[in-house]
Amino acid sequence: MNETEKTWRKALRLFGQFFQFGCFTFGGGWSIVAQMQKLYVEKEKTITSQELLDITSVGRSLPGTMIGNVAMLYGHRVGGVFCGIVCVTAMVLPPMVILSLITFFYTAFRENPWVMSAMTGVRAAIVPIIACAAVNMVKGAFRFPPCFLLAAAAFVLYLFFQVSCAALVVLGMIGGILICEYYERRGTKKHDPDAC
């Protein structure tokens, strides 16, 4: 099997997976991250929790929708630009079709008590899915104990002091560099008797 066939097979598999993710995108992008966690981290083990968190962090930091960025980054990581485009396209198709139908029949949906009740139930079901994904990502995300303090500080700064997301990302990058630098130097000193 040549390289082109491998890429096409990989792209078709990714298309099916992200199309399925797109069918269940209730609750926004975080529910897709939860599905990716379950499939790629826990079942297939193609990436680690830390790698998924890195992809999510970068996707969240870039302009555009977070989940579109995450899909593109994951697809690119697995099979290059072509697979990234396939992932984004597959994920966008189901919501686009559903929204087109809902827009066409908006009045009937808006006034139907069954549809409104179903949406209330869907919203209630999304909260534990997102919470579960967050807990699983945090478990495997931090290499060093001070990272937990850094995350708590970012949470407090955002929630109580309204520090902008961009500033928190920059502060997080600086904090991450300092923490990693400290632990790497400490590790070097332990293993190298000639280190200062």
Side-chain angles (χ1 to χ4, degrees), residues 9-27:
R9 284 188 177 198
K10 197 179 290 182
L12 282 172
R13 186 173 58 81
L14 287 169
F15 184 89
Q17 291 169 341
F18 276 83
F19 188 87
Q20 188 176 353
F21 293 159
C23 289
F24 300 99
T25 317
F26 300 104

Side-chain angles (χ1 to χ4, degrees), residues 33-42 49 52 133 136-137:
V33 173
Q35 293 176 66
M36 290 176 73
Q37 167 89 20
K38 203 132 194 95
L39 180 63
Y40 299 127
V41 175
E42 295 171 16
S49 286
L52 181 59
N136 286 334
M137 284 176 65

Side-chain angles (χ1 to χ4, degrees), residues 47-74:
I47 59 171
T48 64
S49 286
Q50 187 172 354
E51 288 170 324
L52 181 59
L53 183 63
D54 289 344
I55 289 171
T56 306
S57 300
V58 172
R60 186 95 175 129
S61 305
L62 295 172
T65 62
M66 180 268 287
I67 199 55
N69 295 340
V70 168
M72 182 67 194
L73 289 167
Y74 180 79

Side-chain angles (χ1 to χ4, degrees), residues 90-105:
M91 193 192 58
V92 167
L93 276 175
M96 192 170 70
V97 169
I98 292 167
L99 279 172
S100 299
L101 290 171
I102 288 175
T103 303
F104 189 72
F105 297 108

Side-chain angles (χ1 to χ4, degrees), residues 185-196:
R185 285 177 189 247
R186 192 170 138 198
T188 304
K189 284 182 182 177
K190 280 183 180 176
H191 299 310
D192 184 2
D194 298 327
C196 300

